[in-house]
Amino acid sequence: MTNNKINHPILELNQIHTSYNNIKAVKGISLTIYHGEMVCLIGANGAGKSTTLMTISGVLSPESGSIKFEGKSLGSISASQRVQIGISQVPEGRHIFPEMTVQENLELGAYIQRNSKKIAQDIELVFSVFPRLKERKFQRGGTLSGGEQQMLAIGRAIMSKPKLLLLDEPSLGLAPLIVEQIFEIIQKINENGTTVLLVEQNANLALTVTNRGYVMETGHITMEGNSKDLIADERIRAAYLGE
């Protein structure tokens, strides 16, 4: 993590309340993420983690509270406009376009750009990060393995040149070796200057690769701190690390 803006918040949530499917899933949470950080949000299924990410990306609207991105309110900014200002989400379950080729999926990720030469350069940059995708550039997304689809989902997200990358359960359903490869790439993306907010059920993995962490339970933030401190905390080890 190297970024000279580290002392300035890129994202600030203040007392956010959000419902999902008529259930109040997020109940007054506040969190702050600084430029260049890699921060995790951990918790059990149903804790409200994905709802939090969808609220940040604009897929869901909070009932109350405020969200600031680089000091400016996101209150009236739509989900597509949030992509344009630098917020990109990789949703749980990947959600690539199965009938489109790898190349077409990546081109779709660059929909906010108009310069075809720049888009082509950015696709080559993604291929340099994910060589396996280059080998399958003309293959339909739906025929890729789970790990390759996750690579494609991340590649599509970084085509929009995000300042803040939201990752929802990137390890879900993947073999350990593939998870290791995916997380090495996520760390490189962060080291290259992109701020990352990671939602991950694998608490041990999440706390190992991040700088700071928040623990979420039934819609509330119950703990926060340096990831090293959290991973050493007996309550975390008992609740999330199976000890």
Side-chain angles (χ1 to χ4, degrees), residues 16 24-29 46-49 52 216-221:
I16 290 293
K24 182 157 279 191
V26 174
K27 306 169 185 175
I29 72 165
K49 307 184 302 297
T52 300
M216 197 166 186
E217 296 176 14
T218 59
H220 301 276
I221 299 290

Side-chain angles (χ1 to χ4, degrees), residues 100-103 135-141 143-144 148:
M100 291 183 174
T101 66
V102 166
Q103 174 119 355
E135 296 169 10
R136 290 155 174 72
K137 65 190 291 187
F138 299 121
Q139 196 169 319
R140 287 189 298 117
T143 66
L144 301 177
E148 290 163 351

